[in-house]
Amino acid sequence: MVSGRKREFDEQVALQAAMEVFWQKGYSGTSLSDLTSRMGINKPSLYSAFGNKESLFIKATQLYINSKMKPHLEILNNPSLSLFERLKQYLMSIINQQCCVNSPKGCYLVLCQSEIVGGDLPAQASAVLATAESIPKQVFTELFQHDREAISLNLANQAEQIALTLYTMLKGTAAMARSGVEANELEVVVDTCLSGLGLTRPE
């Protein structure tokens, strides 16, 4: 019996490439030929390593969450910074990524989540995106509910509303980044939003 041939490509590099294609074109706008071309593999290799398009999309989405979304969260847990500084650095870290010239502009999740309403995404892919959608709002909500400075400023009882406001702002900056607006231009949006919450840079 002939043993299976060893794969001649790096699966992680190929998955990174697939993530960038979905980030640029969305799920529906991405064809198998787009994927195989960018990943540098043929269709049989794609199916063998990653399954079908939906399965690959789910893996690529998880890679985005782990490598492009979660690392920003460390900033919010820095005890040496004020609440304003943590939020400002966190939000600008995300916006800088949205505007980065070395990756597709905007936000992978925002782009792909817009396809859910049109019914263009398979069920499992939609479920993964729905779960990812809840992460930022949950993070912001818990921050404002439990942070001592937020509590002292009477922001804890508005935690869910503030979370929605900040997440809506990030969705807006993602759209602006995709249309070519640069991060330094969007910084005023962050400052205005934080100022509206009563948060300013410590003197």
Side-chain angles (χ1 to χ4, degrees), residues 140-179:
F140 286 134
T141 298
E142 291 180 355
L143 173 66
F144 280 90
Q145 285 178 337
H146 303 296
D147 184 84
R148 290 182 179 180
E149 191 175 343
I151 293 171
S152 70
L153 293 170
N154 296 317
L155 297 175
N157 61 347
Q158 305 172 54
E160 291 185 2
Q161 296 93 320
I162 293 171
L164 179 60
T165 298
L166 293 176
Y167 188 40
T168 300
M169 183 201 71
L170 286 175
K171 285 196 168 189
T173 57
M176 296 296 283
R178 200 163 174 85
S179 65

Side-chain angles (χ1 to χ4, degrees), residues 96-139:
N96 283 325
Q97 177 178 285
Q98 293 174 347
C99 298
C100 182
V101 297
N102 296 321
S103 62
K105 295 292 184 71
C107 174
Y108 176 109
L109 297 177
V110 171
L111 175 64
C112 296
Q113 284 162 350
S114 66
E115 298 179 282
I116 295 177
V117 176
D120 296 324
L121 268 73
Q124 286 186 309
S126 295
V128 168
L129 289 173
T131 299
E133 167 89 351
S134 68
I135 295 174
K137 288 181 287 187
Q138 181 179 352
V139 167

Side-chain angles (χ1 to χ4, degrees), residues 51-84:
N52 60 17
K53 179 182 173 182
E54 181 182 11
S55 178
L56 175 59
F57 176 78
I58 290 171
K59 290 180 174 69
T61 302
Q62 195 58 56
L63 176 62
Y64 180 88
I65 292 169
N66 291 334
S67 66
K68 300 295 183 180
M69 190 173 173
K70 289 185 176 179
H72 301 289
L73 296 176
E74 295 180 10
I75 300 171
L76 291 178
N77 298 320
N78 188 337
S80 66
L81 298 176
S82 69
L83 181 58
F84 171 87

